[in-house]
Amino acid sequence: MYRSLHSFAMPDVSLEEFFSYISHLHKTNIMLVEKHRLRDRSEIIKVRNANRLKRRK
């Protein structure tokens, strides 16, 4: 999987450099890891709760 990702995403970089980049990516850019936790979902939650209330009635 890593080899195909390497050949697609960064073919001009050596495989060793690519592995190093991938292994340290989550440490340098935390938004890639936690963006699902940081986004505002309050509007989605309100709509879901309203729909649940409608179905109960």
Side-chain angles (χ1 to χ4, degrees), residues 18-34:
F18 178 72
F19 283 137
S20 175
Y21 173 75
I22 292 297
S23 66
H24 293 94
L25 182 64
H26 72 281
K27 296 174 186 171
T28 58
N29 191 354
I30 198 67
M31 283 298 291
L32 289 176
V33 178
E34 296 196 16

Side-chain angles (χ1 to χ4, degrees), residues 3-48:
R3 289 183 195 275
S4 61
L5 182 60
H6 168 256
S7 64
F8 177 74
M10 302 173 78
D12 54 334
V13 176
S14 72
L15 194 58
E16 291 80 21
E17 290 179 66
F18 178 72
F19 283 137
S20 175
Y21 173 75
I22 292 297
S23 66
H24 293 94
L25 182 64
H26 72 281
K27 296 174 186 171
T28 58
N29 191 354
I30 198 67
M31 283 298 291
L32 289 176
V33 178
E34 296 196 16
K35 71 178 182 180
H36 68 281
R37 288 184 44 214
L38 299 176
R39 67 181 174 179
D40 182 23
R41 296 184 45 93
S42 59
E43 187 64 32
I44 295 170
I45 293 170
K46 286 178 191 176
V47 170
R48 285 182 182 168

